[in-house]
Amino acid sequence: MKNTVEIRWHGRGGQGAKTAALLLADVAFKTGKYVQGFPEYGPERMGAPITAYNRISNDPITVHSNIYEPDFVVVVDESLLESIDVTKGLNPKGAVIVNSTRSREEIADKLHGYEGAVYTVDAKAISIRALGKNYPNSPMLAATVAVSKVMGKEEFLKEMRTSFHHKFAKKPEVIDGNMMALELAFAQAE
């Protein structure tokens, strides 16, 4: 579909990949876009591989299926590169964004010959710095928006702050920590 950005998320149960995909859909919707955000369910247990998807468009979306040829792939857990071909069907004009301390060159052999853009973001270090714990989904969400450019940075941060205020009204430190994580990851991925 023209004017539609398709994103596939790979993570493990409990890491927040599904939540990040749903947050992205929610925020994009609030900016006036047509959206889809949904997980693909398999064995639903902590640590099991999961896949989630986003479609974001300025036009109505008429496709209702999994995404087989994404524009962007987000890998929340680098260990999945060992067992899953995360680049399968990935548009060479798109990008893969991997939560990793390693460089593009260091993970290239795990990307099955993918020749498009590769970004690595140390979401663990960012979340530990900003939140005190390893919650990789917020940094990976910001990196995805930065790389895909599905919306502008200021618009994204404004809508995320509103979303966090709604979710964590009684925990301002969680709001501030998540906002810091988003900004740090956005800067790392630009």
Side-chain angles (χ1 to χ4, degrees), residues 148-184:
S148 68
K149 299 185 182 355
V150 293
M151 68 187 75
K153 178 181 178 181
E154 296 310 316
E155 185 176 40
F156 168 69
L157 292 174
K158 176 182 171 253
E159 293 301 335
M160 287 303 298
R161 181 172 291 283
T162 300
S163 180
F164 289 148
H165 272 288
H166 177 71
K167 257 186 166 167
F168 305 114
K170 296 184 180 183
K171 298 181 180 179
E173 70 282 358
V174 174
I175 297 168
D176 293 342
N178 271 292
M179 292 307 297
M180 180 181 183
L182 294 174
E183 294 205 36
L184 289 169

PDB file of all heavy atoms in Angstrom, residues 148-184:
ATOM      1  N   SER A 148      12.345   5.508  11.440  1.00  0.00           N
ATOM      2  CA  SER A 148      11.271   5.394  10.446  1.00  0.00           C
ATOM      3  C   SER A 148      10.689   6.746  10.042  1.00  0.00           C
ATOM      4  O   SER A 148      10.091   6.863   8.971  1.00  0.00           O
ATOM      5  CB  SER A 148      10.143   4.514  10.978  1.00  0.00           C
ATOM      6  OG  SER A 148       9.476   5.151  12.055  1.00  0.00           O
ATOM      7  N   LYS A 149      10.819   7.733  10.922  1.00  0.00           N
ATOM      8  CA  LYS A 149      10.278   9.072  10.681  1.00  0.00           C
ATOM      9  C   LYS A 149       8.764   9.042  10.435  1.00  0.00           C
ATOM     10  O   LYS A 149       8.233   9.834   9.648  1.00  0.00           O
ATOM     11  CB  LYS A 149      11.016   9.757   9.527  1.00  0.00           C
ATOM     12  CG  LYS A 149      12.502   9.926   9.826  1.00  0.00           C
ATOM     13  CD  LYS A 149      13.209  10.706   8.769  1.00  0.00           C
ATOM     14  CE  LYS A 149      14.674  10.882   8.974  1.00  0.00           C
ATOM     15  NZ  LYS A 149      15.340  10.450  10.133  1.00  0.00           N
ATOM     16  N   VAL A 150       8.054   8.151  11.137  1.00  0.00           N
ATOM     17  CA  VAL A 150       6.604   8.090  10.994  1.00  0.00           C
ATOM     18  C   VAL A 150       5.924   9.320  11.594  1.00  0.00           C
ATOM     19  O   VAL A 150       4.762   9.591  11.309  1.00  0.00           O
ATOM     20  CB  VAL A 150       5.990   6.802  11.592  1.00  0.00           C
ATOM     21  CG1 VAL A 150       6.416   5.579  10.807  1.00  0.00           C
ATOM     22  CG2 VAL A 150       6.314   6.648  13.060  1.00  0.00           C
ATOM     23  N   MET A 151       6.669  10.054  12.411  1.00  0.00           N
ATOM     24  CA  MET A 151       6.192  11.331  12.946  1.00  0.00           C
ATOM     25  C   MET A 151       7.416  12.103  13.436  1.00  0.00           C
ATOM     26  O   MET A 151       8.489  11.542  13.610  1.00  0.00           O
ATOM     27  CB  MET A 151       5.178  11.129  14.075  1.00  0.00           C
ATOM     28  CG  MET A 151       5.744  10.529  15.336  1.00  0.00           C
ATOM     29  SD  MET A 151       4.484  10.112  16.561  1.00  0.00           S
ATOM     30  CE  MET A 151       3.799   8.652  15.820  1.00  0.00           C
ATOM     31  N   GLY A 152       7.225  13.384  13.661  1.00  0.00           N
ATOM     32  CA  GLY A 152       8.317  14.224  14.131  1.00  0.00           C
ATOM     33  C   GLY A 152       8.635  13.980  15.594  1.00  0.00           C
ATOM     34  O   GLY A 152       7.783  13.540  16.362  1.00  0.00           O
ATOM     35  N   LYS A 153       9.841  14.299  15.965  1.00  0.00           N
ATOM     36  CA  LYS A 153      10.308  14.079  17.338  1.00  0.00           C
ATOM     37  C   LYS A 153       9.456  14.821  18.362  1.00  0.00           C
ATOM     38  O   LYS A 153       9.019  14.227  19.355  1.00  0.00           O
ATOM     39  CB  LYS A 153      11.772  14.517  17.460  1.00  0.00           C
ATOM     40  CG  LYS A 153      12.341  14.379  18.855  1.00  0.00           C
ATOM     41  CD  LYS A 153      13.782  14.853  18.922  1.00  0.00           C
ATOM     42  CE  LYS A 153      14.322  14.764  20.332  1.00  0.00           C
ATOM     43  NZ  LYS A 153      15.721  15.238  20.409  1.00  0.00           N
ATOM     44  N   GLU A 154       9.224  16.099  18.153  1.00  0.00           N
ATOM     45  CA  GLU A 154       8.479  16.894  19.137  1.00  0.00           C
ATOM     46  C   GLU A 154       7.047  16.403  19.285  1.00  0.00           C
ATOM     47  O   GLU A 154       6.520  16.316  20.390  1.00  0.00           O
ATOM     48  CB  GLU A 154       8.524  18.381  18.782  1.00  0.00           C
ATOM     49  CG  GLU A 154       9.920  18.979  18.825  1.00  0.00           C
ATOM     50  CD  GLU A 154      10.696  18.669  20.110  1.00  0.00           C
ATOM     51  OE1 GLU A 154      10.109  18.767  21.208  1.00  0.00           O
ATOM     52  OE2 GLU A 154      11.885  18.319  20.022  1.00  0.00           O
ATOM     53  N   GLU A 155       6.428  16.081  18.170  1.00  0.00           N
ATOM     54  CA  GLU A 155       5.060  15.552  18.184  1.00  0.00           C
ATOM     55  C   GLU A 155       5.008  14.222  18.944  1.00  0.00           C
ATOM     56  O   GLU A 155       4.137  14.000  19.784  1.00  0.00           O
ATOM     57  CB  GLU A 155       4.619  15.366  16.726  1.00  0.00           C
ATOM     58  CG  GLU A 155       3.213  14.955  16.506  1.00  0.00           C
ATOM     59  CD  GLU A 155       2.891  14.898  15.015  1.00  0.00           C
ATOM     60  OE1 GLU A 155       3.722  14.437  14.211  1.00  0.00           O
ATOM     61  OE2 GLU A 155       1.777  15.320  14.680  1.00  0.00           O
ATOM     62  N   PHE A 156       5.973  13.357  18.665  1.00  0.00           N
ATOM     63  CA  PHE A 156       6.068  12.061  19.334  1.00  0.00           C
ATOM     64  C   PHE A 156       6.251  12.236  20.841  1.00  0.00           C
ATOM     65  O   PHE A 156       5.518  11.640  21.638  1.00  0.00           O
ATOM     66  CB  PHE A 156       7.237  11.268  18.737  1.00  0.00           C
ATOM     67  CG  PHE A 156       7.623  10.046  19.521  1.00  0.00           C
ATOM     68  CD1 PHE A 156       6.789   8.940  19.587  1.00  0.00           C
ATOM     69  CD2 PHE A 156       8.837   9.994  20.191  1.00  0.00           C
ATOM     70  CE1 PHE A 156       7.148   7.806  20.307  1.00  0.00           C
ATOM     71  CE2 PHE A 156       9.210   8.874  20.916  1.00  0.00           C
ATOM     72  CZ  PHE A 156       8.359   7.776  20.972  1.00  0.00           C
ATOM     73  N   LEU A 157       7.208  13.069  21.240  1.00  0.00           N
ATOM     74  CA  LEU A 157       7.484  13.254  22.666  1.00  0.00           C
ATOM     75  C   LEU A 157       6.286  13.869  23.392  1.00  0.00           C
ATOM     76  O   LEU A 157       5.966  13.479  24.516  1.00  0.00           O
ATOM     77  CB  LEU A 157       8.740  14.105  22.862  1.00  0.00           C
ATOM     78  CG  LEU A 157      10.058  13.450  22.428  1.00  0.00           C
ATOM     79  CD1 LEU A 157      11.207  14.443  22.526  1.00  0.00           C
ATOM     80  CD2 LEU A 157      10.349  12.182  23.228  1.00  0.00           C
ATOM     81  N   LYS A 158       5.608  14.811  22.753  1.00  0.00           N
ATOM     82  CA  LYS A 158       4.430  15.434  23.358  1.00  0.00           C
ATOM     83  C   LYS A 158       3.344  14.385  23.611  1.00  0.00           C
ATOM     84  O   LYS A 158       2.773  14.312  24.709  1.00  0.00           O
ATOM     85  CB  LYS A 158       3.904  16.534  22.439  1.00  0.00           C
ATOM     86  CG  LYS A 158       2.620  17.182  22.926  1.00  0.00           C
ATOM     87  CD  LYS A 158       2.137  18.239  21.922  1.00  0.00           C
ATOM     88  CE  LYS A 158       0.766  18.713  22.280  1.00  0.00           C
ATOM     89  NZ  LYS A 158      -0.277  18.235  21.415  1.00  0.00           N
ATOM     90  N   GLU A 159       3.058  13.564  22.611  1.00  0.00           N
ATOM     91  CA  GLU A 159       2.014  12.545  22.752  1.00  0.00           C
ATOM     92  C   GLU A 159       2.412  11.457  23.755  1.00  0.00           C
ATOM     93  O   GLU A 159       1.572  10.947  24.497  1.00  0.00           O
ATOM     94  CB  GLU A 159       1.654  11.933  21.402  1.00  0.00           C
ATOM     95  CG  GLU A 159       0.974  12.901  20.459  1.00  0.00           C
ATOM     96  CD  GLU A 159      -0.327  13.490  20.989  1.00  0.00           C
ATOM     97  OE1 GLU A 159      -0.997  12.863  21.843  1.00  0.00           O
ATOM     98  OE2 GLU A 159      -0.676  14.602  20.555  1.00  0.00           O
ATOM     99  N   MET A 160       3.696  11.116  23.804  1.00  0.00           N
ATOM    100  CA  MET A 160       4.158  10.108  24.768  1.00  0.00           C
ATOM    101  C   MET A 160       4.046  10.652  26.195  1.00  0.00           C
ATOM    102  O   MET A 160       3.647   9.934  27.102  1.00  0.00           O
ATOM    103  CB  MET A 160       5.587   9.665  24.464  1.00  0.00           C
ATOM    104  CG  MET A 160       5.698   8.774  23.241  1.00  0.00           C
ATOM    105  SD  MET A 160       4.680   7.270  23.321  1.00  0.00           S
ATOM    106  CE  MET A 160       5.389   6.441  24.739  1.00  0.00           C
ATOM    107  N   ARG A 161       4.382  11.917  26.391  1.00  0.00           N
ATOM    108  CA  ARG A 161       4.254  12.513  27.730  1.00  0.00           C
ATOM    109  C   ARG A 161       2.787  12.458  28.178  1.00  0.00           C
ATOM    110  O   ARG A 161       2.486  12.082  29.303  1.00  0.00           O
ATOM    111  CB  ARG A 161       4.779  13.945  27.762  1.00  0.00           C
ATOM    112  CG  ARG A 161       4.670  14.568  29.154  1.00  0.00           C
ATOM    113  CD  ARG A 161       5.348  15.914  29.263  1.00  0.00           C
ATOM    114  NE  ARG A 161       6.796  15.855  29.184  1.00  0.00           N
ATOM    115  CZ  ARG A 161       7.610  15.470  30.168  1.00  0.00           C
ATOM    116  NH1 ARG A 161       7.100  15.079  31.324  1.00  0.00           N
ATOM    117  NH2 ARG A 161       8.912  15.467  30.005  1.00  0.00           N
ATOM    118  N   THR A 162       1.874  12.786  27.284  1.00  0.00           N
ATOM    119  CA  THR A 162       0.447  12.724  27.604  1.00  0.00           C
ATOM    120  C   THR A 162       0.043  11.297  27.962  1.00  0.00           C
ATOM    121  O   THR A 162      -0.668  11.068  28.939  1.00  0.00           O
ATOM    122  CB  THR A 162      -0.392  13.231  26.404  1.00  0.00           C
ATOM    123  OG1 THR A 162      -0.015  14.582  26.140  1.00  0.00           O
ATOM    124  CG2 THR A 162      -1.880  13.159  26.698  1.00  0.00           C
ATOM    125  N   SER A 163       0.514  10.345  27.185  1.00  0.00           N
ATOM    126  CA  SER A 163       0.205   8.931  27.439  1.00  0.00           C
ATOM    127  C   SER A 163       0.766   8.494  28.792  1.00  0.00           C
ATOM    128  O   SER A 163       0.072   7.829  29.572  1.00  0.00           O
ATOM    129  CB  SER A 163       0.777   8.068  26.315  1.00  0.00           C
ATOM    130  OG  SER A 163       0.498   6.717  26.537  1.00  0.00           O
ATOM    131  N   PHE A 164       2.005   8.858  29.089  1.00  0.00           N
ATOM    132  CA  PHE A 164       2.623   8.489  30.363  1.00  0.00           C
ATOM    133  C   PHE A 164       1.906   9.160  31.537  1.00  0.00           C
ATOM    134  O   PHE A 164       1.742   8.558  32.592  1.00  0.00           O
ATOM    135  CB  PHE A 164       4.112   8.839  30.387  1.00  0.00           C
ATOM    136  CG  PHE A 164       4.976   7.975  29.511  1.00  0.00           C
ATOM    137  CD1 PHE A 164       6.115   8.486  28.910  1.00  0.00           C
ATOM    138  CD2 PHE A 164       4.673   6.643  29.286  1.00  0.00           C
ATOM    139  CE1 PHE A 164       6.925   7.704  28.108  1.00  0.00           C
ATOM    140  CE2 PHE A 164       5.473   5.838  28.479  1.00  0.00           C
ATOM    141  CZ  PHE A 164       6.602   6.378  27.897  1.00  0.00           C
ATOM    142  N   HIS A 165       1.476  10.411  31.369  1.00  0.00           N
ATOM    143  CA  HIS A 165       0.739  11.100  32.432  1.00  0.00           C
ATOM    144  C   HIS A 165      -0.551  10.355  32.748  1.00  0.00           C
ATOM    145  O   HIS A 165      -0.941  10.245  33.912  1.00  0.00           O
ATOM    146  CB  HIS A 165       0.425  12.551  32.048  1.00  0.00           C
ATOM    147  CG  HIS A 165       1.499  13.511  32.420  1.00  0.00           C
ATOM    148  ND1 HIS A 165       1.762  13.878  33.711  1.00  0.00           N
ATOM    149  CD2 HIS A 165       2.399  14.179  31.651  1.00  0.00           C
ATOM    150  CE1 HIS A 165       2.773  14.727  33.737  1.00  0.00           C
ATOM    151  NE2 HIS A 165       3.181  14.921  32.491  1.00  0.00           N
ATOM    152  N   HIS A 166      -1.187   9.870  31.723  1.00  0.00           N
ATOM    153  CA  HIS A 166      -2.429   9.114  31.918  1.00  0.00           C
ATOM    154  C   HIS A 166      -2.155   7.790  32.637  1.00  0.00           C
ATOM    155  O   HIS A 166      -2.880   7.409  33.549  1.00  0.00           O
ATOM    156  CB  HIS A 166      -3.094   8.865  30.559  1.00  0.00           C
ATOM    157  CG  HIS A 166      -4.336   8.045  30.645  1.00  0.00           C
ATOM    158  ND1 HIS A 166      -5.508   8.530  31.176  1.00  0.00           N
ATOM    159  CD2 HIS A 166      -4.586   6.759  30.287  1.00  0.00           C
ATOM    160  CE1 HIS A 166      -6.430   7.580  31.135  1.00  0.00           C
ATOM    161  NE2 HIS A 166      -5.902   6.506  30.602  1.00  0.00           N
ATOM    162  N   LYS A 167      -1.090   7.102  32.208  1.00  0.00           N
ATOM    163  CA  LYS A 167      -0.764   5.783  32.779  1.00  0.00           C
ATOM    164  C   LYS A 167      -0.161   5.847  34.171  1.00  0.00           C
ATOM    165  O   LYS A 167      -0.436   5.003  35.011  1.00  0.00           O
ATOM    166  CB  LYS A 167       0.261   5.081  31.871  1.00  0.00           C
ATOM    167  CG  LYS A 167      -0.288   4.041  31.005  1.00  0.00           C
ATOM    168  CD  LYS A 167       0.862   3.353  30.305  1.00  0.00           C
ATOM    169  CE  LYS A 167       0.325   2.099  29.695  1.00  0.00           C
ATOM    170  NZ  LYS A 167       1.206   1.495  28.771  1.00  0.00           N
ATOM    171  N   PHE A 168       0.722   6.805  34.379  1.00  0.00           N
ATOM    172  CA  PHE A 168       1.500   6.857  35.615  1.00  0.00           C
ATOM    173  C   PHE A 168       1.249   8.144  36.401  1.00  0.00           C
ATOM    174  O   PHE A 168       2.176   8.735  36.956  1.00  0.00           O
ATOM    175  CB  PHE A 168       2.996   6.745  35.299  1.00  0.00           C
ATOM    176  CG  PHE A 168       3.373   5.545  34.490  1.00  0.00           C
ATOM    177  CD1 PHE A 168       3.878   5.688  33.196  1.00  0.00           C
ATOM    178  CD2 PHE A 168       3.234   4.260  34.999  1.00  0.00           C
ATOM    179  CE1 PHE A 168       4.234   4.586  32.443  1.00  0.00           C
ATOM    180  CE2 PHE A 168       3.581   3.156  34.256  1.00  0.00           C
ATOM    181  CZ  PHE A 168       4.081   3.310  32.969  1.00  0.00           C
ATOM    182  N   ALA A 169       0.002   8.568  36.489  1.00  0.00           N
ATOM    183  CA  ALA A 169      -0.349   9.844  37.128  1.00  0.00           C
ATOM    184  C   ALA A 169       0.205   9.969  38.543  1.00  0.00           C
ATOM    185  O   ALA A 169       0.592  11.059  38.969  1.00  0.00           O
ATOM    186  CB  ALA A 169      -1.860  10.026  37.135  1.00  0.00           C
ATOM    187  N   LYS A 170       0.267   8.876  39.270  1.00  0.00           N
ATOM    188  CA  LYS A 170       0.729   8.933  40.662  1.00  0.00           C
ATOM    189  C   LYS A 170       2.217   8.595  40.813  1.00  0.00           C
ATOM    190  O   LYS A 170       2.700   8.441  41.931  1.00  0.00           O
ATOM    191  CB  LYS A 170      -0.115   7.996  41.524  1.00  0.00           C
ATOM    192  CG  LYS A 170      -1.564   8.452  41.553  1.00  0.00           C
ATOM    193  CD  LYS A 170      -2.412   7.628  42.467  1.00  0.00           C
ATOM    194  CE  LYS A 170      -3.829   8.164  42.430  1.00  0.00           C
ATOM    195  NZ  LYS A 170      -4.713   7.498  43.322  1.00  0.00           N
ATOM    196  N   LYS A 171       2.914   8.453  39.690  1.00  0.00           N
ATOM    197  CA  LYS A 171       4.337   8.122  39.735  1.00  0.00           C
ATOM    198  C   LYS A 171       5.121   9.056  38.807  1.00  0.00           C
ATOM    199  O   LYS A 171       5.580   8.641  37.745  1.00  0.00           O
ATOM    200  CB  LYS A 171       4.558   6.674  39.304  1.00  0.00           C
ATOM    201  CG  LYS A 171       3.889   5.664  40.206  1.00  0.00           C
ATOM    202  CD  LYS A 171       4.180   4.260  39.710  1.00  0.00           C
ATOM    203  CE  LYS A 171       3.528   3.230  40.602  1.00  0.00           C
ATOM    204  NZ  LYS A 171       3.783   1.869  40.137  1.00  0.00           N
ATOM    205  N   PRO A 172       5.282  10.322  39.190  1.00  0.00           N
ATOM    206  CA  PRO A 172       5.968  11.266  38.297  1.00  0.00           C
ATOM    207  C   PRO A 172       7.397  10.850  37.957  1.00  0.00           C
ATOM    208  O   PRO A 172       7.891  11.169  36.880  1.00  0.00           O
ATOM    209  CB  PRO A 172       5.926  12.590  39.060  1.00  0.00           C
ATOM    210  CG  PRO A 172       5.564  12.236  40.460  1.00  0.00           C
ATOM    211  CD  PRO A 172       4.848  10.933  40.435  1.00  0.00           C
ATOM    212  N   GLU A 173       8.057  10.121  38.855  1.00  0.00           N
ATOM    213  CA  GLU A 173       9.426   9.673  38.570  1.00  0.00           C
ATOM    214  C   GLU A 173       9.453   8.691  37.399  1.00  0.00           C
ATOM    215  O   GLU A 173      10.414   8.645  36.635  1.00  0.00           O
ATOM    216  CB  GLU A 173      10.086   9.062  39.817  1.00  0.00           C
ATOM    217  CG  GLU A 173       9.523   7.711  40.279  1.00  0.00           C
ATOM    218  CD  GLU A 173       8.197   7.773  41.042  1.00  0.00           C
ATOM    219  OE1 GLU A 173       7.664   8.869  41.282  1.00  0.00           O
ATOM    220  OE2 GLU A 173       7.693   6.703  41.397  1.00  0.00           O
ATOM    221  N   VAL A 174       8.384   7.912  37.235  1.00  0.00           N
ATOM    222  CA  VAL A 174       8.289   6.969  36.112  1.00  0.00           C
ATOM    223  C   VAL A 174       8.082   7.747  34.815  1.00  0.00           C
ATOM    224  O   VAL A 174       8.670   7.416  33.779  1.00  0.00           O
ATOM    225  CB  VAL A 174       7.161   5.939  36.336  1.00  0.00           C
ATOM    226  CG1 VAL A 174       6.956   5.062  35.118  1.00  0.00           C
ATOM    227  CG2 VAL A 174       7.458   5.085  37.566  1.00  0.00           C
ATOM    228  N   ILE A 175       7.285   8.795  34.878  1.00  0.00           N
ATOM    229  CA  ILE A 175       7.060   9.641  33.695  1.00  0.00           C
ATOM    230  C   ILE A 175       8.379  10.270  33.273  1.00  0.00           C
ATOM    231  O   ILE A 175       8.779  10.182  32.105  1.00  0.00           O
ATOM    232  CB  ILE A 175       6.008  10.735  33.987  1.00  0.00           C
ATOM    233  CG1 ILE A 175       4.658  10.098  34.305  1.00  0.00           C
ATOM    234  CG2 ILE A 175       5.907  11.714  32.804  1.00  0.00           C
ATOM    235  CD1 ILE A 175       3.643  11.065  34.891  1.00  0.00           C
ATOM    236  N   ASP A 176       9.073  10.895  34.223  1.00  0.00           N
ATOM    237  CA  ASP A 176      10.344  11.558  33.915  1.00  0.00           C
ATOM    238  C   ASP A 176      11.378  10.574  33.402  1.00  0.00           C
ATOM    239  O   ASP A 176      12.098  10.862  32.440  1.00  0.00           O
ATOM    240  CB  ASP A 176      10.879  12.290  35.146  1.00  0.00           C
ATOM    241  CG  ASP A 176       9.998  13.469  35.554  1.00  0.00           C
ATOM    242  OD1 ASP A 176       9.191  13.942  34.722  1.00  0.00           O
ATOM    243  OD2 ASP A 176      10.105  13.902  36.726  1.00  0.00           O
ATOM    244  N   GLY A 177      11.453   9.387  34.009  1.00  0.00           N
ATOM    245  CA  GLY A 177      12.413   8.372  33.578  1.00  0.00           C
ATOM    246  C   GLY A 177      12.131   7.878  32.167  1.00  0.00           C
ATOM    247  O   GLY A 177      13.048   7.740  31.353  1.00  0.00           O
ATOM    248  N   ASN A 178      10.867   7.639  31.866  1.00  0.00           N
ATOM    249  CA  ASN A 178      10.511   7.187  30.523  1.00  0.00           C
ATOM    250  C   ASN A 178      10.770   8.276  29.489  1.00  0.00           C
ATOM    251  O   ASN A 178      11.240   7.986  28.382  1.00  0.00           O
ATOM    252  CB  ASN A 178       9.042   6.743  30.469  1.00  0.00           C
ATOM    253  CG  ASN A 178       8.882   5.285  30.805  1.00  0.00           C
ATOM    254  OD1 ASN A 178       9.299   4.416  30.051  1.00  0.00           O
ATOM    255  ND2 ASN A 178       8.294   5.007  31.953  1.00  0.00           N
ATOM    256  N   MET A 179      10.485   9.516  29.824  1.00  0.00           N
ATOM    257  CA  MET A 179      10.747  10.611  28.887  1.00  0.00           C
ATOM    258  C   MET A 179      12.241  10.749  28.627  1.00  0.00           C
ATOM    259  O   MET A 179      12.666  10.969  27.494  1.00  0.00           O
ATOM    260  CB  MET A 179      10.151  11.925  29.406  1.00  0.00           C
ATOM    261  CG  MET A 179       8.632  11.961  29.418  1.00  0.00           C
ATOM    262  SD  MET A 179       7.852  11.542  27.821  1.00  0.00           S
ATOM    263  CE  MET A 179       8.469  12.864  26.775  1.00  0.00           C
ATOM    264  N   MET A 180      13.041  10.585  29.683  1.00  0.00           N
ATOM    265  CA  MET A 180      14.489  10.632  29.515  1.00  0.00           C
ATOM    266  C   MET A 180      14.949   9.486  28.615  1.00  0.00           C
ATOM    267  O   MET A 180      15.780   9.678  27.715  1.00  0.00           O
ATOM    268  CB  MET A 180      15.182  10.549  30.877  1.00  0.00           C
ATOM    269  CG  MET A 180      16.680  10.589  30.814  1.00  0.00           C
ATOM    270  SD  MET A 180      17.360  10.447  32.504  1.00  0.00           S
ATOM    271  CE  MET A 180      19.096  10.597  32.152  1.00  0.00           C
ATOM    272  N   ALA A 181      14.411   8.294  28.823  1.00  0.00           N
ATOM    273  CA  ALA A 181      14.772   7.138  27.996  1.00  0.00           C
ATOM    274  C   ALA A 181      14.424   7.388  26.536  1.00  0.00           C
ATOM    275  O   ALA A 181      15.216   7.066  25.632  1.00  0.00           O
ATOM    276  CB  ALA A 181      14.065   5.881  28.510  1.00  0.00           C
ATOM    277  N   LEU A 182      13.262   7.968  26.283  1.00  0.00           N
ATOM    278  CA  LEU A 182      12.857   8.265  24.903  1.00  0.00           C
ATOM    279  C   LEU A 182      13.827   9.242  24.252  1.00  0.00           C
ATOM    280  O   LEU A 182      14.269   9.041  23.115  1.00  0.00           O
ATOM    281  CB  LEU A 182      11.442   8.846  24.878  1.00  0.00           C
ATOM    282  CG  LEU A 182      10.294   7.933  25.296  1.00  0.00           C
ATOM    283  CD1 LEU A 182       8.986   8.715  25.341  1.00  0.00           C
ATOM    284  CD2 LEU A 182      10.174   6.727  24.388  1.00  0.00           C
ATOM    285  N   GLU A 183      14.166  10.302  24.978  1.00  0.00           N
ATOM    286  CA  GLU A 183      15.059  11.322  24.403  1.00  0.00           C
ATOM    287  C   GLU A 183      16.464  10.777  24.159  1.00  0.00           C
ATOM    288  O   GLU A 183      17.069  11.055  23.119  1.00  0.00           O
ATOM    289  CB  GLU A 183      15.081  12.557  25.291  1.00  0.00           C
ATOM    290  CG  GLU A 183      13.716  13.231  25.299  1.00  0.00           C
ATOM    291  CD  GLU A 183      13.757  14.697  25.622  1.00  0.00           C
ATOM    292  OE1 GLU A 183      14.707  15.372  25.201  1.00  0.00           O
ATOM    293  OE2 GLU A 183      12.799  15.165  26.257  1.00  0.00           O
ATOM    294  N   LEU A 184      16.979   9.987  25.094  1.00  0.00           N
ATOM    295  CA  LEU A 184      18.314   9.408  24.911  1.00  0.00           C
ATOM    296  C   LEU A 184      18.352   8.448  23.719  1.00  0.00           C
ATOM    297  O   LEU A 184      19.295   8.477  22.929  1.00  0.00           O
ATOM    298  CB  LEU A 184      18.748   8.658  26.182  1.00  0.00           C
ATOM    299  CG  LEU A 184      19.074   9.541  27.395  1.00  0.00           C
ATOM    300  CD1 LEU A 184      19.226   8.665  28.656  1.00  0.00           C
ATOM    301  CD2 LEU A 184      20.320  10.357  27.147  1.00  0.00           C
TER     302      LEU A 184
END
